[in-house]
Amino acid sequence: MSDLDRQFQDLVTANRILAREEVVDAFGHVSIRHPEHPGRYILSQSRAPELVDTLDLMEYTLDGDPLDQQGRTMYSERPIHGGVYEARSDVMAVVHNHSPAVLPFGVTGQPLRPMFHLAAIIGPQLPVWDIRDNFQDTSLLVTTMEQGRDLAATLGDGRAALMRGHGCVVAGSTLKEAVMASVYLQVNARLLLQSLPLGEVKYLSPGEIELMSQSQVRPTSLARAWEYWAVRAGRSV
Ligand code: MN
């Protein structure tokens, strides 16, 4: 298998993992920057992630134009991916999801910060992007590059941003990193929803976040988690 085929297979696996871990359902998507053409990205045609296979993968310019559509329908929120890739040359993978555990933190002002070690990978704080701030009433879907760029500006150089009343976006310097951050972002949100009613939460310190996240993105750590999630999702590694 060529390196490119391997990366396409991994993108299929990422779709299945995110579905199996219930980070995405019928909606939500994951992309990679094209390994050989940094001005393009790879994203499935419009399909539930659990069902995505290699033939569903499509190549897009950063503006979201398909190189060879072949009559396939496309996710309307492609500008989330294009906006982040355009703003961040360090980002090689993007996940967009509507994790129900994460949603409350985008609408209440309650900060979503890491409170257990494996959530260090989400970074110290997650900004909240509100599409209404600059675009008035919309469907809340990010369907124009102007909106995608606005979202990417809120993300800044961070790992993830919440999207008010909608979901979140997660960026990774590798696909495995983006998947790991997406899974533990959700786990951390669930734990916070359990912890906040009990009393004041002691979050990880900036130093702890730095040290633990360095440990998490080591290839051996990422490979261990990836193998576990892939097998749970019925994929070989
Ligand atoms: Mn969405």
PDB file of all heavy atoms in Angstrom, residues 27-29 76-77 80 96-98 140-142 163 166-168, ligand 1:
ATOM      1  N   PHE A  27     -24.213  13.351  11.601  1.00  0.00           N
ATOM      2  CA  PHE A  27     -23.544  14.579  11.179  1.00  0.00           C
ATOM      3  C   PHE A  27     -22.153  14.674  11.801  1.00  0.00           C
ATOM      4  O   PHE A  27     -21.807  13.907  12.669  1.00  0.00           O
ATOM      5  CB  PHE A  27     -24.418  15.784  11.540  1.00  0.00           C
ATOM      6  CG  PHE A  27     -25.782  15.707  10.896  1.00  0.00           C
ATOM      7  CD1 PHE A  27     -26.872  15.227  11.610  1.00  0.00           C
ATOM      8  CD2 PHE A  27     -25.956  16.049   9.564  1.00  0.00           C
ATOM      9  CE1 PHE A  27     -28.120  15.109  11.011  1.00  0.00           C
ATOM     10  CE2 PHE A  27     -27.190  15.946   8.959  1.00  0.00           C
ATOM     11  CZ  PHE A  27     -28.289  15.471   9.689  1.00  0.00           C
ATOM     12  N   GLY A  28     -21.406  15.663  11.361  1.00  0.00           N
ATOM     13  CA  GLY A  28     -20.024  15.806  11.807  1.00  0.00           C
ATOM     14  C   GLY A  28     -19.116  15.200  10.759  1.00  0.00           C
ATOM     15  O   GLY A  28     -19.540  14.331   9.981  1.00  0.00           O
ATOM     16  N   HIS A  29     -17.864  15.696  10.693  1.00  0.00           N
ATOM     17  CA  HIS A  29     -16.934  15.186   9.688  1.00  0.00           C
ATOM     18  C   HIS A  29     -15.486  15.409  10.089  1.00  0.00           C
ATOM     19  O   HIS A  29     -15.195  16.209  10.978  1.00  0.00           O
ATOM     20  CB  HIS A  29     -17.190  15.804   8.313  1.00  0.00           C
ATOM     21  CG  HIS A  29     -17.935  17.106   8.279  1.00  0.00           C
ATOM     22  ND1 HIS A  29     -17.326  18.327   8.398  1.00  0.00           N
ATOM     23  CD2 HIS A  29     -19.274  17.357   8.134  1.00  0.00           C
ATOM     24  CE1 HIS A  29     -18.228  19.289   8.306  1.00  0.00           C
ATOM     25  NE2 HIS A  29     -19.427  18.744   8.154  1.00  0.00           N
ATOM     26  N   SER A  76     -22.094  20.601   3.499  1.00  0.00           N
ATOM     27  CA  SER A  76     -22.224  22.049   3.293  1.00  0.00           C
ATOM     28  C   SER A  76     -21.213  22.836   4.128  1.00  0.00           C
ATOM     29  O   SER A  76     -20.881  23.966   3.807  1.00  0.00           O
ATOM     30  CB  SER A  76     -23.647  22.506   3.632  1.00  0.00           C
ATOM     31  OG  SER A  76     -23.916  22.287   5.002  1.00  0.00           O
ATOM     32  N   GLU A  77     -20.722  22.214   5.207  1.00  0.00           N
ATOM     33  CA  GLU A  77     -19.840  22.956   6.114  1.00  0.00           C
ATOM     34  C   GLU A  77     -18.354  22.775   5.791  1.00  0.00           C
ATOM     35  O   GLU A  77     -17.506  22.859   6.693  1.00  0.00           O
ATOM     36  CB  GLU A  77     -20.125  22.553   7.559  1.00  0.00           C
ATOM     37  CG  GLU A  77     -21.527  22.951   8.004  1.00  0.00           C
ATOM     38  CD  GLU A  77     -21.657  22.925   9.507  1.00  0.00           C
ATOM     39  OE1 GLU A  77     -21.771  21.833  10.076  1.00  0.00           O
ATOM     40  OE2 GLU A  77     -21.629  24.011  10.120  1.00  0.00           O
ATOM     41  N   ILE A  80     -15.516  25.100   7.235  1.00  0.00           N
ATOM     42  CA  ILE A  80     -14.867  24.905   8.538  1.00  0.00           C
ATOM     43  C   ILE A  80     -13.456  24.377   8.300  1.00  0.00           C
ATOM     44  O   ILE A  80     -12.481  24.854   8.904  1.00  0.00           O
ATOM     45  CB  ILE A  80     -15.674  23.900   9.407  1.00  0.00           C
ATOM     46  CG1 ILE A  80     -17.046  24.481   9.768  1.00  0.00           C
ATOM     47  CG2 ILE A  80     -14.884  23.507  10.662  1.00  0.00           C
ATOM     48  CD1 ILE A  80     -17.964  23.492  10.490  1.00  0.00           C
ATOM     49  N   HIS A  96     -14.916  18.271  12.872  1.00  0.00           N
ATOM     50  CA  HIS A  96     -16.053  19.097  13.288  1.00  0.00           C
ATOM     51  C   HIS A  96     -17.125  18.161  13.823  1.00  0.00           C
ATOM     52  O   HIS A  96     -17.458  17.165  13.185  1.00  0.00           O
ATOM     53  CB  HIS A  96     -16.610  19.896  12.108  1.00  0.00           C
ATOM     54  CG  HIS A  96     -17.950  20.507  12.392  1.00  0.00           C
ATOM     55  ND1 HIS A  96     -18.149  21.385  13.442  1.00  0.00           N
ATOM     56  CD2 HIS A  96     -19.169  20.343  11.810  1.00  0.00           C
ATOM     57  CE1 HIS A  96     -19.428  21.748  13.462  1.00  0.00           C
ATOM     58  NE2 HIS A  96     -20.066  21.123  12.495  1.00  0.00           N
ATOM     59  N   ASN A  97     -17.629  18.466  15.021  1.00  0.00           N
ATOM     60  CA  ASN A  97     -18.663  17.594  15.581  1.00  0.00           C
ATOM     61  C   ASN A  97     -19.641  18.371  16.453  1.00  0.00           C
ATOM     62  O   ASN A  97     -19.414  19.537  16.782  1.00  0.00           O
ATOM     63  CB  ASN A  97     -18.024  16.445  16.374  1.00  0.00           C
ATOM     64  CG  ASN A  97     -17.390  16.903  17.670  1.00  0.00           C
ATOM     65  OD1 ASN A  97     -18.069  17.177  18.652  1.00  0.00           O
ATOM     66  ND2 ASN A  97     -16.057  17.015  17.687  1.00  0.00           N
ATOM     67  N   HIS A  98     -20.733  17.694  16.808  1.00  0.00           N
ATOM     68  CA  HIS A  98     -21.814  18.293  17.597  1.00  0.00           C
ATOM     69  C   HIS A  98     -21.975  17.526  18.910  1.00  0.00           C
ATOM     70  O   HIS A  98     -23.103  17.270  19.341  1.00  0.00           O
ATOM     71  CB  HIS A  98     -23.141  18.247  16.833  1.00  0.00           C
ATOM     72  CG  HIS A  98     -23.056  18.716  15.407  1.00  0.00           C
ATOM     73  ND1 HIS A  98     -23.743  18.112  14.393  1.00  0.00           N
ATOM     74  CD2 HIS A  98     -22.367  19.745  14.840  1.00  0.00           C
ATOM     75  CE1 HIS A  98     -23.498  18.735  13.234  1.00  0.00           C
ATOM     76  NE2 HIS A  98     -22.648  19.720  13.484  1.00  0.00           N
ATOM     77  N   LEU A 140     -26.962  28.691  11.435  1.00  0.00           N
ATOM     78  CA  LEU A 140     -25.844  28.302  12.289  1.00  0.00           C
ATOM     79  C   LEU A 140     -24.800  27.446  11.557  1.00  0.00           C
ATOM     80  O   LEU A 140     -23.734  27.164  12.077  1.00  0.00           O
ATOM     81  CB  LEU A 140     -26.278  27.596  13.594  1.00  0.00           C
ATOM     82  CG  LEU A 140     -26.752  28.557  14.695  1.00  0.00           C
ATOM     83  CD1 LEU A 140     -28.228  28.845  14.560  1.00  0.00           C
ATOM     84  CD2 LEU A 140     -26.446  28.039  16.079  1.00  0.00           C
ATOM     85  N   LEU A 141     -25.128  27.001  10.354  1.00  0.00           N
ATOM     86  CA  LEU A 141     -24.172  26.215   9.579  1.00  0.00           C
ATOM     87  C   LEU A 141     -23.102  27.132   8.982  1.00  0.00           C
ATOM     88  O   LEU A 141     -23.400  28.244   8.543  1.00  0.00           O
ATOM     89  CB  LEU A 141     -24.883  25.457   8.463  1.00  0.00           C
ATOM     90  CG  LEU A 141     -25.977  24.489   8.909  1.00  0.00           C
ATOM     91  CD1 LEU A 141     -26.666  23.869   7.691  1.00  0.00           C
ATOM     92  CD2 LEU A 141     -25.417  23.397   9.813  1.00  0.00           C
ATOM     93  N   VAL A 142     -21.873  26.644   8.958  1.00  0.00           N
ATOM     94  CA  VAL A 142     -20.748  27.413   8.415  1.00  0.00           C
ATOM     95  C   VAL A 142     -20.622  27.074   6.931  1.00  0.00           C
ATOM     96  O   VAL A 142     -19.997  26.093   6.557  1.00  0.00           O
ATOM     97  CB  VAL A 142     -19.455  27.076   9.185  1.00  0.00           C
ATOM     98  CG1 VAL A 142     -18.286  27.866   8.637  1.00  0.00           C
ATOM     99  CG2 VAL A 142     -19.652  27.350  10.676  1.00  0.00           C
ATOM    100  N   MET A 163     -18.450  26.135  19.176  1.00  0.00           N
ATOM    101  CA  MET A 163     -19.312  26.904  18.271  1.00  0.00           C
ATOM    102  C   MET A 163     -20.674  27.009  18.953  1.00  0.00           C
ATOM    103  O   MET A 163     -21.359  25.998  19.130  1.00  0.00           O
ATOM    104  CB  MET A 163     -19.409  26.187  16.923  1.00  0.00           C
ATOM    105  CG  MET A 163     -18.037  26.022  16.258  1.00  0.00           C
ATOM    106  SD  MET A 163     -17.972  24.723  14.987  1.00  0.00           S
ATOM    107  CE  MET A 163     -18.987  25.468  13.721  1.00  0.00           C
ATOM    108  N   HIS A 166     -24.058  24.894  18.452  1.00  0.00           N
ATOM    109  CA  HIS A 166     -23.800  24.080  17.263  1.00  0.00           C
ATOM    110  C   HIS A 166     -22.844  22.914  17.553  1.00  0.00           C
ATOM    111  O   HIS A 166     -23.220  21.768  17.373  1.00  0.00           O
ATOM    112  CB  HIS A 166     -23.252  24.998  16.162  1.00  0.00           C
ATOM    113  CG  HIS A 166     -22.941  24.321  14.867  1.00  0.00           C
ATOM    114  ND1 HIS A 166     -22.712  25.013  13.701  1.00  0.00           N
ATOM    115  CD2 HIS A 166     -22.789  23.008  14.541  1.00  0.00           C
ATOM    116  CE1 HIS A 166     -22.465  24.155  12.723  1.00  0.00           C
ATOM    117  NE2 HIS A 166     -22.504  22.942  13.201  1.00  0.00           N
ATOM    118  N   GLY A 167     -21.655  23.188  18.024  1.00  0.00           N
ATOM    119  CA  GLY A 167     -20.699  22.098  18.229  1.00  0.00           C
ATOM    120  C   GLY A 167     -19.311  22.617  18.475  1.00  0.00           C
ATOM    121  O   GLY A 167     -19.120  23.556  19.241  1.00  0.00           O
ATOM    122  N   CYS A 168     -18.341  22.035  17.784  1.00  0.00           N
ATOM    123  CA  CYS A 168     -16.960  22.473  17.977  1.00  0.00           C
ATOM    124  C   CYS A 168     -16.113  22.101  16.776  1.00  0.00           C
ATOM    125  O   CYS A 168     -16.539  21.351  15.897  1.00  0.00           O
ATOM    126  CB  CYS A 168     -16.369  21.843  19.247  1.00  0.00           C
ATOM    127  SG  CYS A 168     -16.281  20.052  19.224  1.00  0.00           S
TER     128      CYS A 168
HETATM  129 MN    MN B   1     -22.120  21.245  12.032  1.00  0.00          MN
END
